[in-house]
């Protein structure tokens, strides 16, 4: 029996099954639910670790299931997939711990954790997809699984936000569907192949391919929040903090960005796409998004909204790295998938902590909060510096490779965009830090909860501290074995031929 | 003891010298120790006095950085130790509230960054540690300050961010040009690269902003005015001197004659020196700012000379680090002296230097900056120095300048002369 | 043993058993529920037996009483019939389980015989090999269905039933006229023989016009859908599910058969397909927009049926040119829509039973209070919207593929728009399911079997998305679409 074929489905099942069981649990069964959640997350982590090791040893992990005559569901654990899978697995564990702490005593937890697990399942599925239709399948599943999380609070605002979220994502999904079917009618295959599978098509199809590319990018761009398709993201902030964290760091936004990476590298192929002339507009779109997101972030007083606009900006780094069409920039883009995840999840955890501990939602209320919650704000500081791209936090590594890649590809304008983005990032993060650390705290906080001598509950505090340390380590130990950077280089070598 | 074992030991001390303050920066640790600031300096002091040169590569750190201690580095290191020790003592002995735990954390972070930057032997390491240092210093600087300090801090932060961006571009350029990012490698590669002019300017402006030469001195004047003595001392020891050090390390000195660019840099330096000298004569100015700015300009003039004439630089290269170190020490001494005189004069804690004009508080930063820049531009346009002198004459400061030069502090004049001599050595 | 299975006249029993059951229920109302449930499960087993037979022997053909065509009554079952029988049995089980707790007292007494007659009619219809026989079953089905609609007893239900009756009679009449024409013209009513003998002639056109109009009326294709929304919305829930899931499909099945065997080869390319496609497209848009505008849940679902029927007709123009996957798409859409729509109506019925109303805006946190029902509605909705993974997605994929292969961008746009609008009305409901309504209301308990019946059918619609390969190979038994294989 070939165990390797079982690994991808097992990775998916490790969150799917606990999720399905949790749906059936009553609200009171807190302990069982916690055990299920955590054991699922741990099992997934172990599986991912095992597969990571296997892939680095040259093992193949692939599962195929006939979906339609001539079309198969393919789950394959390639290097790029594993980067995303390991990110989801690690952050799922952390976020689960956080969510357990965050939602203590709040209603509907079974439903929440059920969909939460489904969401991760879909993300892992997106990551493991070996062809476009499998990708599409999990991508839509992700849309469906996140919707209940967005409207979880059940308020009118939540319903409204959910509606807007769906309007964007379902439309994006529809475009994606058309593009996928069209591609299939042209080529008869949808298998992700390094260097793409389209260069055999004749020149008469090039117009069609350009339109398909546009449709695909538009479809994925909705979730990746490319301007002007970003409108849903700030709205979706009504969701509880763990959801925002997961949405921004791992699941939805990343799935979109990951889709773009897949399309450029494994469907079209970098060279072919560059010859087609579609990468330059994509790079410009990404650049515009980077600057626009940062500019909008500057003017937000609501902390979570500011972070949301920051996400819009940061996720486009990935797209930019992909669109620059050079191997070094590719490393930058791919590695930012992980780096942005680590940093942004930290920031959202911290924002959640502030809201849950002191009732702070606005930046103007954050005066002196560093004295009251030093650990939280220390984690926040690391995350913020990472976003700015200051060494030695992970963001620096990304910026380094993006800049270097841009120079190598002869696209110097990217450097200016990066510099502008850093400047704007500094402009909207440093005032927060200044406020938090160096302003006098007010006599009373908006809504303080009592946690005794500790600054907040340990389940809320531990996750951001851990992710902050990981972000720090990813930058500080960038060249050590099994760092995200090393893995990204491994991907660049394996999936894209390095000149 | 064999040489190898000694080298290993020295490497260990070197790593500890940087890691130890970082470790102590954890509040839970330093709050349980007596004299944590002094304790943190112990390994580096040891490193400064131990003889021998050693270089250590840490391939797993960042993109593969490393530390080196050699004779040249030791000068700067020794200066840093002295300045940090003095500052630590001042803070510990002061009875004011700024010796709290958070301040200790920031102090130690800045210290670690500073030492790391001094010891780092490649661009990335230097960049990384100066970043830690700069933001740590910002925190240390503003954390107990008044509105004026915060304003100065904000200005510093803006200059810092812009400088870091520029230096990052320089860094990318260097990494694009060469795989070897150690200082010597970059120096060689960048001298030959086609982008060397661009690299030169980006690096120069970056470090010039960090050292606070005219016209980026603004934050310095606010800072010195409003902060306490220990922090004032650290301003010299941390951003200013590190800016100089960075410039010497990053710029492709002694490899390539840069011609017109070097001339312009020289000019900037000389103008800075002159301008600072003139400013020193106005009674309303904060003396230490202009001393510092003057010293920085002096240094830049020397730098320009080095860029223009590689042979001269190579000839006098060995003087570079001692020069930096002595400038730093002298400025530090000045601060201590001024602080001491004021303390004895006013019997007043040395928090604020003399209450300079109240008007200054009224005019905002932009206005002051505009004014200063205008003056500077004027002097640029009217290359005839006579006119500048006349300007000051008409504004009735001439007499005071004379008084000042004659009576107040002769060392300044000496410094200016020394700088001028160095700057025009080649010409 | 094997021989017994392969020789057994499963098809005949499939028709006789529900008829007998219906009689029993009619005569002894006290055992109606038990009998009904038993019969429905037995029918499902019979379908399994028939499937076995077809797998072994290929196409099933049985001459009842030893008389064959052209005089006698032939039963005929290929892959398509088998699939329709199977889906009828499956949905039938779900509906029966649901009805077992839904109907009380007098209603139950009336429901079970009618339902079993309807089941018999459906089975007979799917097994018929001649157009007159089809007419008989068709009429029986229509009458049973009308009676079932009237079962609700309310004023609006009776009105709707009347309208439905009118439509059904009109439709059957038109169909019967067509049959008469064909018989007059070619001297047989057997489909296979007709296919051999028929040739392009005014008779064919007239027959096509009459039969087509009658069947379109009963299939409720836009603009002949006027009777459907009120009938489906006001009928008792299991009946709504039955009508939407099965009855509408039955008339579509006849149309499909006639088109494939008789009319398609004769009048193909003359614009009839284009007309049907156009009407289908209009149905999708009109039905979806109407659904989006509804404030009552059951009406919304009924209009959704109008829209979904439109998808089935989109296949006609697509097949006309090359005929690759469009018929497979239709099969798949029929199957998944049957499951999903039944589940959806049952979920709506649960909500109606729970809150005593079906105003969408006042659904009042049903996600918490009836999680299974909300889940059923959501899963069924996924299939209706055509989102993966679901049967609806597979159908839509195949249809899109066919459209794109022929460059029919107009149809692609319609399909995508239809999907988006469907998402709009499904999530309109789901959105309100999370929020608290302005007016809180008394809620009644919903029996677990009703919730589970809805959920399981919805899950089946989702699972159908993973069964495309076996289902499509099943449907190609006997080559009902005349394309050799399902896909090249």
């Amino acid at each position: 029996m070939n165990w390797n074929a079982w690994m991808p489905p097992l990775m998916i099942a490790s969150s799917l099954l606990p999720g399905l069981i949790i749906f059936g649990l009553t609200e009171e069964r807190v302990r069982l639910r916690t055990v299920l959640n955590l054991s699922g997350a741990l099992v997934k982590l172990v599986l991912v670790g095992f597969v990571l090791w296997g892939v680095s040893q040259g093992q193949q992990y692939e599962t195929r299931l006939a979906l339609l005559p001539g079309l198969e569901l393919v789950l394959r654990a390639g290097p790029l997939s594993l980067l995303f899978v390991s990110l989801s697995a690690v952050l799922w564990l952390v976020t689960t711990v956080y969510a357990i702490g965050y939602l203590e005593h709040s209603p509907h937890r079974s439903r929440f954790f059920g969909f939460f697990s489904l969401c991760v399942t879909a993300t892992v599925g997106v990551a493991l997809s070996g062809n476009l239709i499998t990708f599409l399948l999990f991508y839509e599943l992700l849309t469906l699984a996140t919707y209940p999380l967005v409207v979880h609070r059940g308020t009118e605002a939540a319903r409204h936000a959910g509606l807007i979220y769906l309007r964007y994502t379902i439309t994006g999904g529809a475009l994606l569907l058309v593009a996928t079917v069209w591609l299939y009618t042209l080529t008869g295959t949808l298998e992700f192949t390094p260097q793409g599978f389209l260069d055999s098509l004749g020149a008469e199809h090039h117009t069609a391919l350009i339109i398909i590319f546009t449709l695909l990018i538009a479809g994925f761009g909705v979730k990746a929040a490319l301007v002007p398709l970003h409108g849903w993201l700030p709205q979706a902030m009504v969701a509880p903090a763990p959801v925002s964290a997961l949405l921004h760091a791992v699941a939805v936004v990343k799935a979109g960005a990951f889709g773009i990476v897949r399309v450029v590298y494994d469907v079209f192929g970098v060279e072919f796409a560059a010859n087609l002339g579609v990468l330059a507009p994509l790079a410009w779109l990404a650049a515009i998004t980077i600057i626009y997101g940062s500019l909008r972030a500057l003017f937000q007083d609501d902390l979570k909204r500011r972070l949301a606009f920051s996400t819009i900006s940061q996720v486009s780094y990935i797209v930019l790295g992909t669109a620059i069409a050079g191997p070094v920039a590719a490393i930058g883009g791919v590695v930012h998938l992980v780096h942005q995840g680590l940093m942004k999840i930290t920031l959202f955890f911290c924002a959640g902590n502030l809201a849950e501990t002191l009732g702070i939602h606005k930046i103007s209320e954050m005066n002196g909060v560093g004295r009251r919650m030093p650990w939280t704000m220390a984690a926040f500081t690391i995350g913020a510096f990472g976003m700015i791209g200051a060494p030695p936090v992970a963001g620096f590594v990304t910026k380094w490779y993006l800049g270097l890649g841009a120079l190598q590809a002869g696209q110097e304008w990217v450097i200016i965009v990066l510099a502008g983005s850093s400047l704007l990032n500094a402009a909207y993060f440093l005032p927060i830090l200044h406020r938090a650390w160096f302003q006098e705290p007010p006599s009373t906080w908006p809504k303080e909860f009592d946690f005794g001598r500790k600054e907040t509950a340990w389940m809320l505090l531990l996750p951001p501290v851990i992710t902050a340390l990981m972000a720090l380590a990813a930058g500080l130990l960038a060249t050590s074995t099994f760092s995200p950077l090393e893995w990204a280089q491994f991907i660049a070598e394996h999936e894209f031929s390095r000149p | 003891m064999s040489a190898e074992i000694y080298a290993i030991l020295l490497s260990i001390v070197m790593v500890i010298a940087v890691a130890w303050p970082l470790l102590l920066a954890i509040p839970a640790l330093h709050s349980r120790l007596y004299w944590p600031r002094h304790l943190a300096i112990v390994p580096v002091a040891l490193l400064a006095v131990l003889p021998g040169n050693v270089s250590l590569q840490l391939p797993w750190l960042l993109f593969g950085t490393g530390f080196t201690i050699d004779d040249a580095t030791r000068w700067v290191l020794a200066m840093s130790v002295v300045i940090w020790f003095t500052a630590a003592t001042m803070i510990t002995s002061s009875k004011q509230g700024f010796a709290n735990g958070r301040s200790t954390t920031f102090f130690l972070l800045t210290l670690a960054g500073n030492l790391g930057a001094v010891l780092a032997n490649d661009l990335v390491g230097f960049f990384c540690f100066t970043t830690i240092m700069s933001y740590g210093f910002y925190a240390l600087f503003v954390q107990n300050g008044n509105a004026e300090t915060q304003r100065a801090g904000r200005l510093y932060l803006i200059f810092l961010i812009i400088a870091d961006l520029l230096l990052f571009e320089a860094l990318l350029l260097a990494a694009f040009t060469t795989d070897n990012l150690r200082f010597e490698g970059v120096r060689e590669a960048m001298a030959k690269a086609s982008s060397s002019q661009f690299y030169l300017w980006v690096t120069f402006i970056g470090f010039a902003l960090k050292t606070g030469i005219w016209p980026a001195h603004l934050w310095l004047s606010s800072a010195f005015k409003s902060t306490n003595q220990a922090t004032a001392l650290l301003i010299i020891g941390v951003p200013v001197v590190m800016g100089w050090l960075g410039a010497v390390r990053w710029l492709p000195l002694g490899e390539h004659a840069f011609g017109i660019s070097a001339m312009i840099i020289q000019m900037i330096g000389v103008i800075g020196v002159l301008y600072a000298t003139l400013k020193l004569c106005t009674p309303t100015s904060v003396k230490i700012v202009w001393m510092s700015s003057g010293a920085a300009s002096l240094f830049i003039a020397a730098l320009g000379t080095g860029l223009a004439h590689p042979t001269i630089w190579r000839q006098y290269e060995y003087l570079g680090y001692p020069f930096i170190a002595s400038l730093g020490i002298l400025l530090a001494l000045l601060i201590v002296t001024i602080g001491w005189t004021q303390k004895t004069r006013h019997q007043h804690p040395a928090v604020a230097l003399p209450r300079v004009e109240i008007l200054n508080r009224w005019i905002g930063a932009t206005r002051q900056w505009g004014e200063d820049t205008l003056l500077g531009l004027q002097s640029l346009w009217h290359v005839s120095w006579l006119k500048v002198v006349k300007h000051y004459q008409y504004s009735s400061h001439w007499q005071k300048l004379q008084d000042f030069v004659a009576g107040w502090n002769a060392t300044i004049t000496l410094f200016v002369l020394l700088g001028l001599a160095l700057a025009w050595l080649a010409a | 043993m094997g021989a017994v299975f392969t020789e057994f006249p499963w098809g005949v029993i499939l028709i006789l058993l529900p008829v007998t059951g219906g009689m029993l229920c009619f005569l002894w109302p006290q055992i109606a529920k038990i009998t009904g449930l038993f019969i429905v499960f037995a029918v499902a087993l019979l379908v399994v037996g028939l499937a076995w037979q077809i797998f072994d022997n290929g196409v099933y053909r049985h001459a009842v009483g030893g008389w064959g065509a052209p005089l006698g009554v032939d039963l005929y079952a290929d892959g398509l019939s088998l699939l329709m029988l199977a889906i009828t049995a499956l949905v039938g089980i779900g509906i029966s389980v649901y009805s077992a707790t839904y109907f009380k007292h007098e209603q139950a007494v009336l429901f079970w015989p009618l339902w079993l007659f309807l089941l018999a009619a459906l089975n007979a219809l799917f097994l018929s090999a001649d157009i007159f026989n089809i007419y008989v079953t068709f009429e029986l089905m229509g009458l049973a269905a009308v009676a079932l609609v009237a079962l609700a007893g309310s004023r609006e239900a009776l009105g709707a039933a009347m309208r439905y009756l009118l439509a059904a009679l009109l439709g059957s009449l038109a169909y019967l006229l067509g049959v008469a024409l064909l018989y007059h013209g070619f001297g047989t009513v057997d489909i296979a023989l007709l296919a051999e003998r028929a040739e392009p002639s005014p008779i064919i056109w007239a027959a096509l016009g009459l039969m087509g109009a009658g069947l379109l009326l009963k299939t409720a294709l836009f603009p002949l859908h006027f009777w459907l929304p009120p009938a489906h919305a006001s009928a008792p829930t299991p009946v709504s599910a039955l009508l939407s899931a099965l009855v509408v499909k039955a008339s579509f099945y006849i149309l499909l058969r006639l088109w494939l065997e008789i009319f398609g080869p004769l009048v193909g390319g003359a614009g009839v397909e284009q007309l049907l496609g156009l009407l289908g497209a209009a149905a999708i848009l009109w039905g979806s927009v109407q659904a989006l505008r509804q404030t009552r849940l059951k009406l919304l679902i009924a209009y959704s049926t109008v829209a979904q029927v439109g998808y089935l007709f989109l296949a006609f123009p697509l097949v006309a040119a090359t005929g690759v996957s469009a018929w497979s798409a239709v099969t798949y859409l029929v199957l998944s829509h049957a499951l999903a729509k039944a589940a959806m109506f049952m979920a709506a019925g649960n909500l109606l039973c729970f809150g005593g109303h079906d105003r969408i805006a006042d659904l009042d946190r049903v996600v918490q209070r009836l999680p299974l029902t909300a889940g059923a509605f959501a899963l069924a909705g996924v299939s209706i919207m055509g989102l993966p993974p679901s049967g609806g997605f597979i159908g839509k994929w195949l249809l899109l593929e066919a459209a794109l292969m022929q460059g029919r961008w107009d149809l692609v746009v319609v399909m995508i728009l239809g999907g988006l609008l469907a998402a709009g009305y499904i999530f309109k409901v789901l959105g309100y399911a999370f929020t608290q309504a302005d007016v809180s209301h008394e809620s009644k308990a919903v029996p677990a079997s009703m919730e589970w019946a809805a959920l399981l059918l919805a899950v089946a619609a989702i699972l159908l998305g993973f069964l495309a390969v076996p289902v499509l190979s099943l449907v190609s038994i006997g080559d009902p679409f005349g394309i050799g294989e399902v896909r090249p």
Side-chain angles (χ1 to χ4, degrees), chain A residues 65-71 73 108 111 115 133 136-137 140-141 144 147-148 151-152 154-156 159 163 166 170-171 174-175 177-178 180-182 184-185 190 215, chain C residues 367-368 382 385-389 393-394 396-398 400-402 404-405 409 412 416 419-420 423 427-428 430-432 434-436 465-469 472 486-487:
Chain A
L65 176 79
L67 181 71
L68 271 169
L71 257 187
L73 278 185
H108 321 313
R111 186 182 84 204
F115 282 114
I133 189 170
L136 186 69
L137 195 147
E140 295 288 2
L141 189 65
L144 298 174
Y147 173 74
V151 296
H152 181 75
T155 56
E156 193 51 35
R159 194 181 67 85
L163 220 56
L166 281 174
I170 299 263
T171 314
L175 296 183
L177 178 66
V178 174
T180 311
V181 181
W182 196 358
Y184 184 60
T185 56
L190 291 173
L215 286 174
Chain C
V367 171
Q368 283 85 279
V382 167
M385 287 182 270
L387 287 183
F393 170 72
I394 299 287
K396 209 160 152 190
W397 171 279
L398 292 169
L400 269 177
E401 196 185 330
L404 278 168
M405 275 193 162
W409 280 99
V412 172
I416 293 301
L420 292 181
F427 279 106
K428 176 176 151 188
L430 285 178
Y432 284 109
F434 279 89
T435 49
Q436 185 150 20
F466 296 99
L467 298 174
V469 176
L472 290 181
V486 177
R487 283 173 54 91

Side-chain angles (χ1 to χ4, degrees), chain A residues 214-287:
Chain A
T214 316
L215 286 174
L216 285 172
I217 294 301
F220 289 128
V222 167
K223 280 204 180 142
L226 284 179
V227 169
L229 309 169
H230 63 284
W232 61 274
L233 191 63
Q235 299 279 337
M237 286 298 96
V238 295
V243 176
S244 309
L246 200 72
L247 235 63
H248 282 250
V250 201
V252 175
V253 181
K254 278 304 167 52
F258 187 71
I260 291 176
V261 173
R262 277 288 197 206
V263 165
V264 172
Y265 287 128
D266 293 346
V267 174
F268 278 74
V270 182
E271 272 174 42
F272 184 69
N275 291 340
L276 220 50
V278 288
L279 287 188
L282 181 61
W284 277 103
L285 189 65

Side-chain angles (χ1 to χ4, degrees), chain A residues 99-138:
Chain A
I100 292 169
Y102 187 90
L103 291 174
E104 216 167 13
H105 311 304
S106 73
H108 321 313
R109 275 171 290 168
S110 280
R111 186 182 84 204
F112 179 88
F113 282 108
F115 282 114
F116 200 67
S117 303
L118 270 192
C119 190
V120 174
T121 308
T123 311
V124 173
V126 162
L128 288 174
S129 298
N131 62 13
L132 203 50
I133 189 170
T134 318
F135 197 103
L136 186 69
L137 195 147
F138 284 109

Side-chain angles (χ1 to χ4, degrees), chain A residues 53 80 129 200 228 301 309 359 369 372 404 414 425 430 445 476:
Chain A
W53 178 80
L80 183 59
S129 298
S200 57
D301 187 33
F309 277 108
V369 78
R372 171 67 179 73
L404 214 51
V414 171
N425 269 291
L430 292 183
W445 301 102
L476 203 58

